Amino acid sequence: MYPRSWKGKEREVHVESKRTEGNGGSDGIVIPMQMIGDGTYTVEYIVPIIMGNGQNLSLQVDTGSSDLWIASTSCSSCSSTGARLYNPSQATETGVLFNIQYLLGNVSGPIVWDSVQLGGYSITNQALCAATAVAQEPLSSSFDGVLGLALPANSVIEDKIPSALDNSPDGATFSSNLFSMTPISQAPPARFLSLSFERPGSDRTPSLLGIGRHPESLVPDPSQVQYSGLIATSSLGQLFWQSSVRGVTVYVNGEARAVNIGRSHTGAVFPIAAVDSGVPYIITTSTIANGIYGAIGINPASDGQYYVPCTTPLNMTITLDGQAPLPLHPLDLTAVPQQDARSANCVGLIQADDTAFTANQDFGDMILGVPFLRNMYTVLAYDVPDSNGNFPAVTTSASMDLITPRLGLMSLTNASTALEEFHTVRVLNQPLGNTTPTASSGGSKKGLSVGFDVLIGLLSFLGLCVILFGLRWVLARRKYRTQVPSRDDGELQSKDAYALAALRPEGDAYGPSEDALRMLRYEAYKRNRRMRSQYSTDSSLTKVGEQDGAKDDLKDVEMGIRPSFHDPWDPHTSLASDWRDTLVGDEGAGGHKKNFSGDSLGSRSPPTHRRNLSDGSNGDTPVTAPLLAHVRTPSQGSDVNDMDLGDGARMTGIGTASRRSLRERDSVGSIGSMQELERTSSRPYAPSPLRPRAPHTLSSSSTRRDPPAEQSS
């Protein structure tokens, strides 16, 4: 913020600094700053300080003025702003009043001495204004005052209370007191301040204030910082951080268009520009502004301002004395109107104000505010560095008396990356997002599109699903193998033997052979012979009592002779030609006969369950419902009435416990699964490697009936 008037031009200016006792560090310090405001029209970069009474406050860093002021508890108009008001009750009064008029706003109040701590440096008897009247300043809960960092000759307080060479309190600026601390070992190692400002919506560049030290994340090589000599626009000497402008270039579709900047209105050969972190615009003369906007076909509007289509980038560079062309980010040069966020036209942040420059010659021709400083690493140096960017060490008191200020700049903006980011924000309406801090203007890798990021995410998700599915399949197979029925003392239990026979009828390493199964069936038959049937009627499969000659047949079996009786558990002994289903009644009383031929099957096994229903021609009552529900195969769908097991089908495993209706249970997936009718549903389940499914279970209406307990004969 530039003061409009200077009231001490007759005085003798002492640029040398007084000795101030304090404490700090010999390594320098880098202090994080905070950006507040809307980021465009009202924006401030603030730094925290601690006053002598222990009060924590926040001050705006202002390179356009040289004085420190804080809104005090005596300011009646400040209480409604939410600012933390400074209480000067423990400060030392000077009896001198302060008043400063900025380009916009003014501040007044008494000057006091108090201690101020910034970072690790504490200054005693710092002169400041405890403001009692503040007008048109954006005070808030994070904005309590201003820390002026312009050159000492521009200080209003020092004009009223001249600096002294001894340690008595005076009106020296904060930077003068900072770099003249005693003992010297407590002072900053180099006499310079540095600034970097973040851009709204991006963390590419952090907001930092350096005291005698460069931030390594931004400046790995100090020799990259280029320095310019300052220009004195006043008889008092150098007031601001000013340099001459050697050229302005606007690029349109890759074509460089040089702007006619003319001469300075002060009479200098080149226009003069000063950096000011307290101004949210770039302010210049109408000659320079018309040349910049005219390059892209824009003229000033009726209100004197410049408006640019929001999707049109203003791509330009400014060349200062001793510097290479410095590119500016297009997002920093135009802004969406506050009153109409949907407007197709944006407000240009380079504006003209001929009145401000002609009223005060000290301002020069351009004020390079925040839009310029966001693109630079700025060094406010009080000494001249060497070619490597290193500053001379302050070792004697004499070397602290004289200052030779230089303005150092290093570009932080890459023109190609800046255009891509402008396209992302203004054309695609997407935020910049997080970016990686950079210390140079070298090229950067273009970010991936959002669509490609989404595709990568989907592919990663599908890959994870495949991995999880494969893991589940492997675990299921392992579980299946571990659940294969185990042998008990070298023999299989009978019900497990039937299950294995259904799965592997030929016998292999996982199950017994057919001969072994026959013996198991026979042993089961012998046990069954000793049991009493729970049914009141007999059938060919279920008999009440013993058959004649059963004992002799048992002996024949034990001696290896084929038994004469028909064992329903053994397909080789149950092949009587008069085999019948388990109907109540005698064979001759209309029993349901099975007609089969042993030659058709190649063995004496009965054919599949084929039913010859009576049509009533013989006077018998027709059968209207199946006596044994057909079991479908997977290829037969849900139609159980059209079942055809084929010539090679077998009825292995159907015992006396299966004489209930099969229609009470759920459909079974294979013929071998009919063993489920006489045993529990604990049969090992092997899921499909392509589609897992739950094992079939009996419905709630199908209660399994266990065979009757074995009785002693």
Side-chain angles (χ1 to χ4, degrees), residues 220-353:
D221 183 7
S223 63
Q224 295 180 353
V225 181
Q226 302 298 315
Y227 292 88
S228 302
L230 300 187
I231 295 177
T233 57
S234 170
S235 59
L236 299 176
Q238 299 161 332
L239 305 179
F240 308 106
W241 300 98
Q242 292 173 313
S243 180
S244 60
V245 180
R246 297 304 178 95
V248 176
T249 304
V250 177
Y251 294 86
V252 181
N253 296 326
E255 177 187 355
R257 299 182 181 180
V259 175
N260 182 15
I261 58 177
R263 296 172 63 94
S264 173
H265 78 281
T266 63
V269 176
F270 296 102
I272 299 172
V275 295
D276 185 358
S277 60
V279 177
Y281 298 90
I282 294 178
I283 304 176
T284 186
T285 62
S286 58
T287 300
I288 297 177
N290 289 335
I292 292 174
Y293 288 106
I296 57 175
I298 302 297
N299 295 318
S302 58
D303 59 357
Q305 297 193 59
Y306 298 87
Y307 299 91
V308 182
C310 290
T311 57
T312 300
L314 181 54
N315 187 19
M316 60 176 289
T317 62
I318 294 179
T319 304
L320 300 181
D321 183 28
Q323 302 281 341
L326 302 170
L328 304 184
H329 203 298
L331 289 175
D332 296 328
L333 300 180
T334 58
V336 178
Q338 289 179 315
Q339 67 275 11
D340 186 8
R342 298 182 179 180
S343 175
N345 293 321
C346 287
V347 179
L349 296 184
I350 301 177
Q351 294 293 338
D353 190 354

